[in-house]
Amino acid sequence: YTVAYQPDQKQFRAVADPQIYETQYRSPQLTLWQFGDDEWLKLLRLPPLKVRRQRPHGIAIQQRLFV
């Protein structure tokens, strides 16, 4: 990898030129699905949320739970 650091020399700014090597070890991450153009899940536009009116702030008394 080619790495460029931020001016603080602690964080990466960019990582480039990755080289992937075949090894005998398998990644525990599963492979991702390969979708065709007609198989993607479509985005549904929902109606805008309704504004809820706020409840008046008053004195609330907790009722007894046990008698």
Side-chain angles (χ1 to χ4, degrees):
Y1 297 99
T2 303
V3 178
Y5 287 96
Q6 295 287 351
D8 64 3
Q9 296 296 318
K10 294 181 180 177
Q11 297 177 345
F12 295 142
R13 180 185 318 159
V15 178
D17 302 325
Q19 296 180 5
I20 300 174
Y21 296 98
E22 291 285 332
T23 67
Q24 62 183 356
Y25 303 104
R26 250 185 85 98
S27 172
Q29 180 178 352
L30 298 174
T31 56
L32 298 176
W33 295 285
Q34 296 295 325
F35 287 123
D37 288 338
D38 58 339
E39 295 174 316
W40 283 98
L41 301 175
K42 304 298 181 193
L43 181 74
L44 299 176
R45 186 172 302 275
L46 297 176
L49 294 176
K50 294 181 181 177
V51 177
R52 287 203 227 171
R53 61 185 172 97
Q54 294 181 351
R55 295 181 183 176
H57 297 299
I59 298 174
I61 299 173
Q62 172 73 42
Q63 298 294 320
R64 291 179 57 171
L65 297 176
F66 304 102
V67 180

Coordinates of all heavy atoms in Angstrom, one line a residue:
Y1 N 0.8 -1.2 0.0 CA 0.0 0.0 0.0 C 0.9 1.3 0.0 O 1.9 1.3 0.6 CB -0.9 0.0 1.2 CG -1.9 -1.1 1.3 CD1 -1.6 -2.2 2.1 CD2 -3.1 -1.0 0.6 CE1 -2.5 -3.2 2.2 CE2 -4.0 -2.1 0.7 CZ -3.7 -3.2 1.5 OH -4.6 -4.2 1.6
T2 N 0.4 2.3 -0.6 CA 1.0 3.6 -0.6 C 0.1 4.4 0.4 O -1.1 4.5 0.1 CB 1.0 4.2 -1.9 OG1 1.8 3.4 -2.8 CG2 1.7 5.6 -1.9
V3 N 0.7 4.9 1.4 CA -0.1 5.6 2.5 C 0.3 7.1 2.5 O 1.5 7.4 2.6 CB 0.1 4.9 3.8 CG1 -0.7 5.7 4.9 CG2 -0.3 3.5 3.8
A4 N -0.6 8.0 2.6 CA -0.4 9.4 2.9 C -1.0 9.7 4.2 O -2.2 9.4 4.5 CB -0.9 10.3 1.8
Y5 N -0.3 10.4 5.1 CA -0.7 10.7 6.4 C -1.3 12.2 6.5 O -0.8 13.0 5.7 CB 0.4 10.6 7.4 CG 0.7 9.1 7.7 CD1 1.8 8.5 7.1 CD2 0.0 8.4 8.7 CE1 2.1 7.2 7.3 CE2 0.3 7.1 8.9 CZ 1.3 6.5 8.3 OH 1.6 5.2 8.5
Q6 N -2.1 12.4 7.4 CA -2.6 13.8 7.7 C -1.4 14.5 8.4 O -0.4 13.9 8.8 CB -3.7 13.7 8.8 CG -5.0 13.1 8.3 CD -5.7 14.0 7.2 OE1 -5.4 15.1 7.0 NE2 -6.7 13.4 6.6
P7 N -1.5 15.9 8.4 CA -0.3 16.6 9.0 C 0.0 16.2 10.5 O 1.1 16.4 10.9 CB -0.8 18.1 9.0 CG -1.8 18.1 7.9 CD -2.5 16.8 7.9
D8 N -1.0 15.6 11.2 CA -0.7 15.2 12.6 C 0.1 13.9 12.6 O 0.6 13.5 13.7 CB -1.9 15.1 13.4 CG -2.9 14.0 12.9 OD1 -2.5 13.3 11.9 OD2 -4.0 13.8 13.5
Q9 N 0.3 13.3 11.5 CA 1.1 12.0 11.4 C 0.5 10.9 12.1 O 1.2 9.9 12.4 CB 2.6 12.2 11.8 CG 3.3 13.2 10.9 CD 3.5 12.7 9.5 OE1 3.7 11.5 9.2 NE2 3.3 13.6 8.5
K10 N -0.8 10.9 12.5 CA -1.5 9.9 13.2 C -2.6 9.2 12.4 O -3.0 8.1 12.7 CB -2.0 10.4 14.6 CG -0.9 10.8 15.5 CD -1.5 11.3 16.8 CE -0.4 11.8 17.7 NZ -0.9 12.3 19.0
Q11 N -3.2 10.0 11.5 CA -4.3 9.5 10.8 C -4.0 9.5 9.3 O -3.2 10.3 8.8 CB -5.5 10.4 11.0 CG -6.0 10.4 12.4 CD -7.1 11.3 12.7 OE1 -7.4 12.2 11.8 NE2 -7.8 11.2 13.8
F12 N -4.6 8.5 8.6 CA -4.3 8.4 7.2 C -5.1 9.4 6.4 O -6.2 9.8 6.7 CB -4.8 7.0 6.6 CG -4.1 5.8 7.2 CD1 -4.8 4.7 7.5 CD2 -2.7 5.9 7.4 CE1 -4.1 3.6 7.9 CE2 -2.0 4.8 7.8 CZ -2.7 3.6 8.1
R13 N -4.5 10.0 5.4 CA -5.2 10.9 4.5 C -5.7 10.1 3.3 O -6.8 10.2 2.8 CB -4.2 12.0 4.0 CG -4.9 12.9 3.0 CD -4.0 14.0 2.4 NE -3.1 14.5 3.3 CZ -2.0 15.2 3.0 NH1 -1.7 15.3 1.8 NH2 -1.2 15.7 3.9
A14 N -4.8 9.2 2.8 CA -5.2 8.3 1.6 C -4.4 7.1 1.6 O -3.3 7.0 2.1 CB -5.0 9.1 0.3
V15 N -5.0 6.0 1.1 CA -4.4 4.7 0.9 C -4.6 4.3 -0.5 O -5.7 4.3 -1.0 CB -5.0 3.6 1.8 CG1 -4.3 2.3 1.6 CG2 -4.8 4.0 3.3
A16 N -3.5 4.1 -1.2 CA -3.6 3.8 -2.7 C -2.8 2.6 -3.0 O -2.0 2.1 -2.2 CB -3.2 5.0 -3.5
D17 N -2.9 2.2 -4.3 CA -2.2 1.0 -4.8 C -2.3 -0.2 -4.0 O -1.3 -0.8 -3.7 CB -0.7 1.4 -5.0 CG -0.5 2.6 -5.9 OD1 -1.3 2.8 -6.9 OD2 0.4 3.4 -5.7
P18 N -3.5 -0.7 -3.7 CA -3.6 -2.0 -3.0 C -3.2 -3.1 -3.9 O -3.4 -3.1 -5.1 CB -5.1 -2.0 -2.6 CG -5.7 -1.3 -3.7 CD -4.8 -0.2 -4.0
Q19 N -2.5 -4.1 -3.3 CA -2.1 -5.3 -4.0 C -2.7 -6.5 -3.2 O -2.5 -6.7 -2.1 CB -0.6 -5.4 -4.0 CG 0.0 -4.3 -4.8 CD 1.6 -4.5 -4.9 OE1 2.1 -5.5 -4.4 NE2 2.2 -3.5 -5.4
I20 N -3.6 -7.2 -4.0 CA -4.2 -8.4 -3.4 C -3.5 -9.6 -3.8 O -3.2 -9.9 -4.9 CB -5.7 -8.4 -3.8 CG1 -6.4 -7.1 -3.3 CG2 -6.4 -9.6 -3.2 CD1 -7.8 -7.0 -3.8
Y21 N -3.2 -10.5 -2.8 CA -2.5 -11.7 -3.0 C -3.4 -12.9 -2.7 O -4.1 -12.9 -1.7 CB -1.2 -11.8 -2.2 CG -0.2 -10.7 -2.5 CD1 -0.1 -9.6 -1.7 CD2 0.7 -10.9 -3.5 CE1 0.8 -8.6 -2.0 CE2 1.6 -9.9 -3.8 CZ 1.7 -8.8 -3.1 OH 2.6 -7.8 -3.3
E22 N -3.3 -13.9 -3.5 CA -4.0 -15.2 -3.2 C -3.3 -15.9 -2.1 O -2.1 -16.0 -2.2 CB -4.1 -16.0 -4.5 CG -5.0 -15.5 -5.6 CD -6.4 -15.7 -5.3 OE1 -6.8 -16.6 -4.6 OE2 -7.2 -14.8 -5.8
T23 N -4.0 -16.3 -1.1 CA -3.4 -17.1 0.0 C -4.3 -18.4 0.2 O -5.4 -18.5 -0.3 CB -3.4 -16.3 1.3 OG1 -4.7 -16.1 1.8 CG2 -2.6 -15.0 1.1
Q24 N -3.8 -19.2 1.1 CA -4.5 -20.4 1.4 C -5.6 -20.2 2.5 O -6.4 -21.0 2.7 CB -3.6 -21.5 1.9 CG -2.8 -21.1 3.1 CD -1.8 -22.2 3.6 OE1 -1.7 -23.2 2.9 NE2 -1.1 -21.9 4.6
Y25 N -5.6 -19.0 3.0 CA -6.5 -18.6 4.1 C -7.7 -18.0 3.5 O -7.7 -17.1 2.7 CB -5.8 -17.7 5.1 CG -4.6 -18.3 5.7 CD1 -3.3 -17.9 5.3 CD2 -4.6 -19.4 6.6 CE1 -2.2 -18.5 5.8 CE2 -3.5 -19.9 7.1 CZ -2.3 -19.5 6.7 OH -1.1 -20.0 7.2
R26 N -8.9 -18.4 4.1 CA -10.2 -17.8 3.6 C -10.6 -16.7 4.5 O -10.5 -16.8 5.7 CB -11.2 -18.9 3.6 CG -11.7 -19.3 2.2 CD -12.8 -20.3 2.3 NE -14.1 -19.6 2.5 CZ -14.9 -19.5 1.4 NH1 -14.6 -19.9 0.3 NH2 -16.0 -18.8 1.6
S27 N -11.2 -15.7 4.0 CA -11.8 -14.6 4.8 C -13.1 -15.1 5.4 O -13.9 -15.8 4.8 CB -12.1 -13.4 3.9 OG -12.8 -12.5 4.7
P28 N -13.3 -14.8 6.7 CA -14.6 -15.2 7.3 C -15.8 -14.4 6.8 O -16.9 -14.8 7.1 CB -14.4 -14.9 8.8 CG -13.3 -13.9 8.8 CD -12.4 -14.1 7.6
Q29 N -15.5 -13.4 6.0 CA -16.6 -12.6 5.5 C -17.2 -13.3 4.3 O -16.5 -13.8 3.4 CB -16.1 -11.2 5.0 CG -17.2 -10.3 4.5 CD -16.7 -9.0 4.1 OE1 -15.6 -8.6 4.4 NE2 -17.5 -8.2 3.4
L30 N -18.5 -13.4 4.2 CA -19.2 -14.0 3.1 C -19.2 -13.2 1.9 O -19.0 -11.9 2.0 CB -20.7 -14.3 3.5 CG -20.9 -15.2 4.7 CD1 -22.4 -15.3 5.0 CD2 -20.4 -16.6 4.4
T31 N -19.3 -13.8 0.7 CA -19.3 -13.0 -0.5 C -20.6 -12.3 -0.6 O -21.6 -12.7 -0.1 CB -19.1 -13.9 -1.7 OG1 -20.0 -14.9 -1.7 CG2 -17.7 -14.5 -1.7
L32 N -20.6 -11.1 -1.3 CA -21.8 -10.3 -1.5 C -22.6 -10.9 -2.7 O -22.0 -11.5 -3.6 CB -21.4 -8.9 -1.7 CG -20.7 -8.2 -0.5 CD1 -20.3 -6.8 -0.9 CD2 -21.6 -8.2 0.7
W33 N -23.9 -10.6 -2.7 CA -24.7 -11.0 -3.8 C -24.4 -10.2 -5.0 O -24.1 -9.0 -4.9 CB -26.2 -10.8 -3.4 CG -26.7 -11.7 -2.3 CD1 -26.9 -13.0 -2.4 CD2 -27.0 -11.3 -1.0 NE1 -27.4 -13.5 -1.2 CE2 -27.4 -12.4 -0.3 CE3 -26.9 -10.1 -0.3 CZ2 -27.8 -12.4 1.0 CZ3 -27.2 -10.1 1.0 CH2 -27.7 -11.2 1.7
Q34 N -24.5 -10.8 -6.1 CA -24.4 -10.1 -7.4 C -25.7 -9.9 -8.0 O -26.4 -10.8 -8.4 CB -23.5 -10.9 -8.3 CG -22.1 -11.0 -7.8 CD -21.3 -9.7 -7.7 OE1 -21.5 -8.8 -8.5 NE2 -20.5 -9.6 -6.7
F35 N -26.3 -8.7 -8.0 CA -27.6 -8.4 -8.5 C -27.5 -7.8 -9.9 O -26.6 -7.1 -10.2 CB -28.3 -7.3 -7.7 CG -28.8 -7.8 -6.3 CD1 -28.4 -7.2 -5.2 CD2 -29.7 -8.9 -6.3 CE1 -28.9 -7.6 -4.0 CE2 -30.1 -9.3 -5.0 CZ -29.7 -8.7 -3.9
G36 N -28.4 -8.2 -10.8 CA -28.5 -7.7 -12.1 C -29.4 -6.4 -12.0 O -29.9 -6.0 -10.9
D37 N -29.5 -5.6 -13.1 CA -30.2 -4.4 -13.1 C -31.7 -4.6 -12.7 O -32.3 -3.7 -12.1 CB -30.1 -3.7 -14.4 CG -28.7 -3.1 -14.7 OD1 -28.0 -2.9 -13.7 OD2 -28.3 -2.9 -15.8
D38 N -32.3 -5.7 -13.0 CA -33.7 -5.9 -12.8 C -33.9 -6.6 -11.4 O -35.0 -6.8 -11.0 CB -34.3 -6.8 -13.9 CG -33.6 -8.1 -14.0 OD1 -32.5 -8.2 -13.6 OD2 -34.2 -9.0 -14.6
E39 N -32.9 -6.9 -10.6 CA -33.0 -7.6 -9.4 C -32.8 -6.7 -8.1 O -33.0 -7.1 -7.0 CB -32.0 -8.7 -9.3 CG -32.2 -9.8 -10.3 CD -31.2 -10.8 -10.3 OE1 -30.0 -10.5 -10.2 OE2 -31.5 -12.0 -10.3
W40 N -32.4 -5.4 -8.4 CA -32.2 -4.5 -7.2 C -33.5 -4.2 -6.6 O -34.5 -4.1 -7.2 CB -31.5 -3.2 -7.7 CG -30.1 -3.4 -8.0 CD1 -29.5 -3.6 -9.2 CD2 -29.0 -3.4 -7.0 NE1 -28.1 -3.8 -9.0 CE2 -27.8 -3.7 -7.7 CE3 -28.9 -3.3 -5.7 CZ2 -26.6 -3.7 -7.1 CZ3 -27.7 -3.4 -5.0 CH2 -26.6 -3.6 -5.7
L41 N -33.4 -4.0 -5.2 CA -34.6 -3.6 -4.5 C -34.9 -2.1 -4.8 O -33.9 -1.3 -4.7 CB -34.4 -3.9 -3.0 CG -34.2 -5.3 -2.7 CD1 -33.9 -5.5 -1.2 CD2 -35.4 -6.2 -3.0
K42 N -36.1 -1.8 -5.1 CA -36.4 -0.4 -5.4 C -36.6 0.4 -4.2 O -37.1 -0.1 -3.2 CB -37.6 -0.3 -6.3 CG -37.4 -1.1 -7.6 CD -36.3 -0.7 -8.4 CE -36.2 -1.5 -9.7 NZ -35.0 -1.3 -10.4
L43 N -36.4 1.7 -4.2 CA -36.6 2.6 -3.2 C -38.0 3.1 -3.2 O -38.5 3.5 -4.3 CB -35.6 3.8 -3.3 CG -35.7 4.9 -2.2 CD1 -35.1 4.4 -0.9 CD2 -35.0 6.1 -2.7
L44 N -38.7 3.1 -2.1 CA -40.1 3.6 -2.1 C -40.2 4.9 -1.4 O -39.7 5.1 -0.3 CB -41.0 2.6 -1.3 CG -41.1 1.2 -1.9 CD1 -41.9 0.3 -0.9 CD2 -41.7 1.2 -3.3
R45 N -40.8 5.9 -2.1 CA -40.9 7.2 -1.5 C -42.2 7.2 -0.6 O -43.3 6.9 -1.0 CB -41.1 8.3 -2.5 CG -41.1 9.7 -2.0 CD -41.0 10.8 -3.0 NE -39.9 10.7 -3.9 CZ -38.7 11.2 -3.6 NH1 -38.5 11.8 -2.5 NH2 -37.7 11.1 -4.4
L46 N -42.0 7.6 0.7 CA -43.1 7.6 1.6 C -43.6 9.0 1.8 O -42.9 10.0 1.6 CB -42.6 7.1 3.0 CG -42.1 5.6 3.0 CD1 -41.5 5.3 4.4 CD2 -43.2 4.7 2.6
P47 N -44.9 9.2 2.2 CA -45.4 10.5 2.4 C -44.6 11.1 3.6 O -44.1 10.4 4.5 CB -46.9 10.3 2.8 CG -47.0 8.9 3.2 CD -45.9 8.1 2.5
P48 N -44.5 12.5 3.6 CA -43.8 13.1 4.7 C -44.5 12.8 6.1 O -45.7 12.6 6.1 CB -43.9 14.6 4.4 CG -45.0 14.7 3.3 CD -45.1 13.4 2.7
L49 N -43.7 12.8 7.1 CA -44.2 12.6 8.4 C -45.1 13.7 8.9 O -44.8 14.9 8.6 CB -43.0 12.4 9.4 CG -42.2 11.2 9.2 CD1 -41.0 11.2 10.2 CD2 -43.0 9.9 9.3
K50 N -46.1 13.4 9.6 CA -47.0 14.4 10.2 C -46.4 14.9 11.5 O -45.8 14.2 12.3 CB -48.4 13.8 10.5 CG -49.1 13.4 9.3 CD -50.5 12.9 9.6 CE -51.2 12.4 8.4 NZ -52.5 11.8 8.7
V51 N -46.5 16.2 11.7 CA -46.0 16.8 12.9 C -46.9 16.5 14.1 O -48.1 16.7 14.0 CB -45.9 18.4 12.7 CG1 -45.4 19.0 14.0 CG2 -45.0 18.7 11.6
R52 N -46.3 16.0 15.1 CA -47.1 15.6 16.3 C -47.3 16.8 17.2 O -46.3 17.6 17.3 CB -46.5 14.5 17.1 CG -46.5 13.2 16.5 CD -46.3 12.2 17.6 NE -45.4 11.1 17.2 CZ -44.9 10.3 18.1 NH1 -45.3 10.3 19.3 NH2 -44.1 9.3 17.7
R53 N -48.4 17.0 17.7 CA -48.6 18.1 18.7 C -48.0 17.7 20.0 O -48.1 16.5 20.4 CB -50.0 18.6 18.8 CG -51.0 17.6 19.3 CD -52.4 18.1 19.2 NE -53.3 17.1 19.5 CZ -53.8 16.9 20.8 NH1 -53.5 17.7 21.7 NH2 -54.6 15.8 21.0
Q54 N -47.4 18.6 20.7 CA -46.8 18.2 22.0 C -47.9 18.2 23.1 O -48.9 19.0 23.0 CB -45.8 19.3 22.4 CG -44.6 19.2 21.4 CD -43.5 20.3 21.8 OE1 -43.8 21.1 22.7 NE2 -42.4 20.2 21.2
R55 N -47.7 17.3 24.0 CA -48.6 17.2 25.1 C -48.3 18.4 26.1 O -47.2 18.8 26.3 CB -48.4 15.9 25.8 CG -48.8 14.7 25.0 CD -48.6 13.4 25.8 NE -48.9 12.3 24.9 CZ -48.8 11.0 25.2 NH1 -48.4 10.8 26.5 NH2 -49.1 10.1 24.4
P56 N -49.4 18.9 26.7 CA -49.1 20.0 27.7 C -48.4 19.4 28.9 O -48.6 18.3 29.3 CB -50.5 20.4 28.1 CG -51.4 19.3 27.7 CD -50.8 18.5 26.6
H57 N -47.5 20.3 29.3 CA -46.7 19.9 30.5 C -47.5 20.2 31.8 O -47.8 21.4 32.0 CB -45.3 20.7 30.5 CG -44.5 20.3 29.4 ND1 -44.0 19.1 29.1 CD2 -44.0 21.1 28.4 CE1 -43.3 19.1 28.0 NE2 -43.2 20.3 27.5
G58 N -47.8 19.2 32.5 CA -48.6 19.4 33.7 C -48.0 18.5 34.8 O -47.0 17.9 34.6
I59 N -48.7 18.5 35.9 CA -48.3 17.6 37.0 C -48.9 16.3 36.8 O -50.1 16.1 36.6 CB -48.7 18.2 38.3 CG1 -48.0 19.6 38.5 CG2 -48.4 17.3 39.4 CD1 -48.5 20.3 39.8
A60 N -48.1 15.2 36.7 CA -48.6 13.9 36.6 C -48.3 13.1 37.9 O -47.2 13.2 38.4 CB -47.9 13.2 35.4
I61 N -49.2 12.4 38.3 CA -49.1 11.7 39.6 C -49.1 10.2 39.3 O -50.0 9.7 38.6 CB -50.2 12.0 40.6 CG1 -50.2 13.5 40.9 CG2 -50.1 11.2 41.8 CD1 -51.4 14.0 41.7
Q62 N -48.0 9.5 39.7 CA -47.9 8.1 39.5 C -48.9 7.4 40.4 O -48.9 7.6 41.6 CB -46.5 7.6 39.8 CG -46.2 6.1 39.8 CD -46.2 5.5 38.4 OE1 -45.6 6.1 37.6 NE2 -46.9 4.4 38.3
Q63 N -49.7 6.5 39.8 CA -50.7 5.7 40.6 C -49.9 4.6 41.3 O -48.8 4.2 40.9 CB -51.7 5.1 39.6 CG -52.5 6.2 38.9 CD -53.4 7.0 39.8 OE1 -54.0 6.5 40.8 NE2 -53.5 8.3 39.6
R64 N -50.5 4.1 42.4 CA -49.9 3.1 43.1 C -49.9 1.8 42.3 O -50.9 1.4 41.6 CB -50.7 2.8 44.4 CG -50.6 4.0 45.4 CD -51.4 3.7 46.6 NE -50.9 2.4 47.2 CZ -51.4 2.0 48.4 NH1 -52.2 2.8 49.1 NH2 -50.9 0.9 48.9
L65 N -48.7 1.1 42.3 CA -48.6 -0.1 41.5 C -49.1 -1.3 42.3 O -49.6 -2.3 41.8 CB -47.1 -0.3 41.1 CG -46.6 0.8 40.2 CD1 -45.1 0.5 40.0 CD2 -47.3 0.8 38.9
F66 N -48.9 -1.3 43.6 CA -49.2 -2.4 44.5 C -50.1 -1.9 45.6 O -49.9 -0.8 46.1 CB -48.0 -3.1 45.1 CG -47.0 -3.6 44.0 CD1 -45.9 -2.9 43.8 CD2 -47.3 -4.7 43.3 CE1 -45.0 -3.3 42.8 CE2 -46.4 -5.2 42.3 CZ -45.3 -4.4 42.1
V67 N -51.1 -2.7 46.0 CA -52.0 -2.3 47.1 C -51.6 -3.1 48.3 O -51.2 -4.1 48.4 CB -53.5 -2.6 46.7 CG1 -54.4 -2.2 47.8 CG2 -53.8 -1.9 45.4

